[in-house]
Amino acid sequence: MKVAMIVKTDDGGRWTLPHLDELRGRGHEVVAVLPPGSEGRLRKALHDRGIDVVQSAFDFRFRPAPATAAGLLGLRGQLRALAPDVLHYHLYASALATRIASLGLPARRVHMVAGPLYLESPLIRLVERLLCRLDAVVVGGSEHTATLYRRIGMPGARVTAIPYGVDTAHFTPPSPAYRAACRDAFGVAAGTFTACMVAYVYPPKRLTHRGRGIKGHDVLLAAWQRFRRETSGGARLILLGGGFTPAGETHKRALMRRFGVAADPSIDWQDSVLDVRDCYAAADVSISPSLSENHGAALEAGAMGVPSIVSDAGALPETVAPSTGWTVPRDDVDALVAALHEAHAEFRNGALRRRGQLAREHTEARFAQDRAAAAVADVLERAARR
């Protein structure tokens, strides 16, 4: 079987790599089609694996210009020349481009959905109600997303749910020495309750959650200010993630000014660290206050034995159980403050550690990346046989 994986980024999207590794391990041929551009992290990882990369003739930007039609025609020629058995695509612009460019070609189309955000737009949902019928299979990256596709009319037999998952061999609970070293590196004093949020800062979207960043940084910062005023003793908040684009960086700077982050010694906001595991190792609780999300950082946190407070947006509630974390209504500062107080109380009485152990067990059982990758490969093999 030959699989062409199409994704609109050459930098993000490294969660596709386990799928390609699994396919190659089964003896299948894989090729990646990425947008034209510089040597991003995904492109480099593919080259390091010896996977052929085709530079797409289309840049995955839909504009009312002749270049759009020319690019799609060029992509069609590339897909015809590659002659794959299965076209496997992620991210919505990739899905649109591949569906259009592959009309009439014999390859089976398998759309794996990284997140539900675009389906929260009434306009896109109306369009997708029609276009998803071009897919042989839609793989929701969560049960939530798979349910959304069934609701818009995709036949249930052609929809399944498989998480992208987390590498539970890479993200593991830290040793006491490693945890102490990480807390020291972040300047966390002994006995200090520490929360973390790991997420890029995305700029506000036009079609959904207008004027708001979807990761909910503003919700957390507002809640943290109240929590600190109401809490005695030390507490730290580590935010990890810069702007995903220049517009995202502009939005981050606006948030920092709005909430006075630079003047608040309890907040440490860093663009990146050499190893994201250091952040989780230093933390007592992870927070995902998103307005829209798939599974997000809660899987990495859970794999490292860190309990999470998540919003009820998208698939985030799938990542925690009552014994492993907290689910609060999205965009609800009061509820997030209350959850922080509960986590802080458990930190002080020692119960939070057991919650973290259960979070690790929950994540291993439901979201192990190797099992998820095998399930994706099974779907592609079945699609090719039909």
Side-chain angles (χ1 to χ4, degrees):
M1 178 178 72
K2 183 175 183 180
V3 177
M5 188 272 290
I6 303 96
V7 64
K8 71 164 189 174
T9 176
D10 75 341
D11 191 44
R14 285 176 293 169
W15 23 258
T16 62
L17 296 172
H19 306 161
L20 303 184
D21 291 341
E22 176 70 20
L23 289 165
R24 296 177 81 207
R26 297 185 183 194
H28 301 306
E29 181 183 356
V30 297
V31 61
V33 180
L34 304 184
S38 60
E39 185 75 6
R41 290 174 293 177
L42 176 58
R43 191 185 301 265
K44 183 179 185 304
L46 292 166
H47 284 157
D48 290 346
R49 284 167 164 75
I51 295 175
D52 289 338
V53 177
V54 173
Q55 185 161 286
S56 171
F58 183 55
D59 61 7
F60 299 97
R61 290 186 291 175
F62 288 87
R63 295 154 293 181
T68 298
L72 288 168
L73 284 171
L75 176 61
R76 179 179 178 81
Q78 291 173 313
L79 297 179
R80 182 188 286 114
L82 288 172
D85 299 292
V86 178
L87 295 166
H88 183 40
Y89 35 90
H90 312 250
L91 303 177
Y92 195 53
S94 316
L96 289 178
T98 306
R99 288 162 173 168
I100 295 169
S102 65
L103 282 172
L105 299 183
R108 305 282 285 174
R109 304 180 192 91
V110 177
H111 180 197
M112 187 159 184
V113 186
L117 177 62
Y118 63 89
L119 291 173
E120 294 168 13
S121 162
L123 175 61
I124 296 178
R125 194 163 57 245
L126 180 63
V127 172
E128 188 64 2
R129 182 183 293 274
L130 300 174
L131 293 184
C132 70
R133 307 304 180 93
L134 297 173
D135 301 326
V137 183
V138 170
V139 181
S142 64
E143 293 288 350
H144 172 75
T145 299
T147 297
L148 292 179
Y149 267 94
R150 295 184 188 104
R151 286 177 181 169
I152 64 172
M154 187 67 170
R158 291 162 56 188
V159 181
T160 189
I162 303 171
Y164 283 87
V166 61
D167 186 346
T168 54
H170 182 72
F171 291 93
T172 59
S175 68
Y178 176 38
R179 174 172 162 79
C182 291
R183 286 172 73 87
D184 184 63
F186 281 104
V188 177
T192 300
F193 174 70
T194 303
C196 75
M197 176 180 177
V198 178
Y200 283 116
V201 182
Y202 292 89
K205 303 287 186 180
R206 289 187 299 109
L207 297 178
T208 56
H209 306 289
R210 187 179 296 273
R212 305 286 299 283
I214 63 169
K215 293 297 183 177
H217 287 87
D218 56 338
V219 183
L220 174 56
L221 289 168
W224 185 258
Q225 288 183 338
R226 276 190 44 195
F227 169 72
R228 289 293 294 123
R229 288 196 300 268
E230 298 168 4
T231 304
S232 60
R236 290 288 303 279
L237 172 63
I238 301 171
L239 295 165
L240 182 61
F244 188 70
T245 61
E249 189 61 32
T250 298
H251 184 57
K252 176 189 172 183
R253 291 195 295 268
L255 288 170
M256 294 184 71
R257 289 192 301 269
R258 175 182 167 190
F259 291 98
V261 170
D264 189 338
S266 74
I267 301 176
D268 180 4
W269 197 336
Q270 300 189 19
D271 283 351
S272 64
V273 291
L274 291 177
D275 191 334
V276 70
R277 292 176 296 181
D278 295 351
C279 184
Y280 296 117
D284 300 298
V285 67
S286 173
I287 305 175
S288 296
S290 303
L291 305 180
S292 177
E293 189 64 88
N294 195 52
H295 292 137
L299 296 190
E300 293 177 353
M304 291 196 67
V306 180
S308 286
I309 302 170
V310 303
S311 76
D312 64 358
L316 280 174
E318 298 174 17
T319 65
V320 300
S323 61
T324 71
W326 294 264
T327 301
V328 299
R330 75 197 80 181
D331 203 15
D332 189 329
V333 172
D334 292 343
L336 183 50
V337 171
L340 281 166
H341 279 300
E342 289 186 27
H344 182 246
E346 290 195 8
F347 169 75
R348 298 186 68 175
N349 66 28
L352 198 59
R353 179 173 298 181
R354 176 56 180 163
R355 194 180 284 271
Q357 293 169 346
L358 294 173
R360 167 69 184 186
E361 294 172 9
H362 177 77
T363 304
E364 279 188 300
R366 295 192 59 185
F367 300 105
Q369 191 178 76
D370 54 351
R371 291 197 298 274
V376 171
D378 290 344
V379 168
L380 297 177
E381 288 175 340
R382 287 195 297 270
R385 287 196 297 266
R386 289 175 181 168

